[in-house]
Amino acid sequence: MKFRDKLINMIWEFPCPLCDCDQPQIHDYNTFCAECVKKLPLCHGKRCPGCGGELDGAFELCSSCLKMPPRPWHNAMTLMKMTGLAENVVYGLKFFRILAMSRGIAELAVPLLSHPDFANVDMLVPVPLHWQREWQRSYNQAEVLARILGKKLNKPCKKVLKRIRPTTRQATLNREERLKNLKNAFAVPETKVQLVAGKQILLIDDVLTTGATLHACAEELLKNGAAGVVVFTIARR
């Protein structure tokens, strides 16, 4: 442990963001305690490049992604299944302003992103919120996570996507409705096109359900010259 961290430990406590227990010592601030990590429904083994979740058969894609149209990204990674304690993590970060969750998520995510498809990206891009929703919430949870991941991976985080119109909440819609709801909802502003052109991009969001939001964002990035897109989400529903 660095001297700085020893000094900080003498002054402040950094409880686990999930159970609020006191961490005996830190190697990073606001990480999940060992007991909570054991309870998280983390994904393991070979991953589906369509959604980033665990493969459940002999095919390259999982059974859910086999039913979906082709994805515009070439690989995906998700940290956990959207069940049990994972819901506390996602909802805590997304709706209850527990921003410390992002540090615990990033700590678990970094080893997964050592795969060449993810480690060799040029920059991280968060899925944007419409300005009205971000104003109401006061932050964008995908951006909070992307910035912390960017620091850990030593990669820039760039807000090159803009949500140009408000949309109905995706959770209330089926896949067809989600795609229609998101049609022309995202854009790369003209001033940001040069940042996208020729770049390998890691697109960050909180939850992948049908993948409609990520699909719309990835297509917009590719349309504006991105060399390729890979995806990371906290959880797969």
Side-chain angles (χ1 to χ4, degrees):
M1 183 183 292
K2 294 179 181 178
F3 174 76
R4 179 199 64 180
D5 291 338
K6 289 181 180 180
L7 183 62
I8 290 172
N9 271 324
M10 294 170 63
I11 303 171
W12 290 292
E13 293 180 347
F14 291 89
C16 169
L18 266 172
C19 69
D20 209 35
C21 74
D22 292 335
Q23 301 272 28
Q25 61 180 11
I26 60 170
H27 62 282
D28 198 2
Y29 310 122
N30 300 119
T31 54
F32 301 133
C33 70
E35 287 304 309
C36 282
V37 171
K38 288 178 186 176
K39 296 173 185 175
L40 287 171
L42 300 173
C43 293
H44 299 284
K46 290 186 178 180
R47 303 305 185 90
C48 169
C51 66
E54 296 173 359
L55 282 174
D56 56 359
F59 296 101
E60 182 183 6
L61 298 173
C62 70
S63 55
S64 294
C65 287
L66 283 170
K67 301 172 187 175
M68 298 288 183
R71 311 287 198 182
W73 53 84
H74 63 269
N75 208 346
M77 183 68 70
T78 195
L79 182 60
M80 49 192 157
K81 302 162 192 171
M82 188 63 173
T83 184
L85 204 57
E87 294 183 340
N88 294 25
V89 173
V90 173
Y91 296 151
L93 174 61
K94 188 171 183 175
F95 299 119
F96 297 102
R97 305 171 70 92
I98 309 176
L99 303 189
M101 291 289 188
S102 59
R103 291 191 177 276
I105 295 163
E107 183 74 9
L108 296 173
V110 165
L112 299 178
L113 299 176
S114 63
H115 184 286
D117 279 353
F118 301 92
N120 294 332
V121 299
D122 297 303
M123 63 181 176
L124 284 67
V125 174
V127 169
L129 294 176
H130 188 263
W131 71 265
Q132 291 173 331
R133 188 164 294 170
E134 186 167 350
W135 181 79
Q136 291 169 346
R137 192 174 292 171
S138 79
Y139 64 97
N140 174 5
Q141 69 281 356
E143 183 185 345
V144 170
L145 176 59
R147 291 199 179 281
I148 291 175
L149 278 172
K151 288 180 181 178
K152 287 183 172 292
L153 298 170
N154 197 28
K155 304 283 184 179
C157 173
K158 301 289 185 181
K159 295 171 65 176
V160 298
L161 277 170
K162 185 176 181 180
R163 203 161 192 149
I164 56 177
R165 64 175 180 83
T167 54
T168 304
R169 287 188 180 276
Q170 292 286 89
T172 64
L173 308 174
N174 61 35
R175 178 172 171 78
E176 291 72 24
E177 291 169 333
R178 287 172 186 236
L179 288 171
K180 185 177 180 181
N181 183 45
L182 293 168
K183 187 175 178 61
N184 300 320
F186 299 97
V188 175
E190 190 174 337
T191 56
K192 301 293 179 70
V193 171
Q194 74 276 10
L195 296 175
V196 172
K199 299 297 195 300
Q200 294 287 344
I201 293 174
L202 175 54
L203 187 60
I204 307 291
D205 203 6
D206 48 17
V207 179
L208 189 152
T209 303
T210 66
T213 301
L214 288 160
H215 190 111
C217 289
E219 281 195 330
E220 185 63 22
L221 291 168
L222 292 168
K223 185 177 78 175
N224 282 275
V229 177
V230 290
V231 164
F232 175 78
T233 57
I234 302 169
R236 169 75 166 102
R237 196 183 295 279

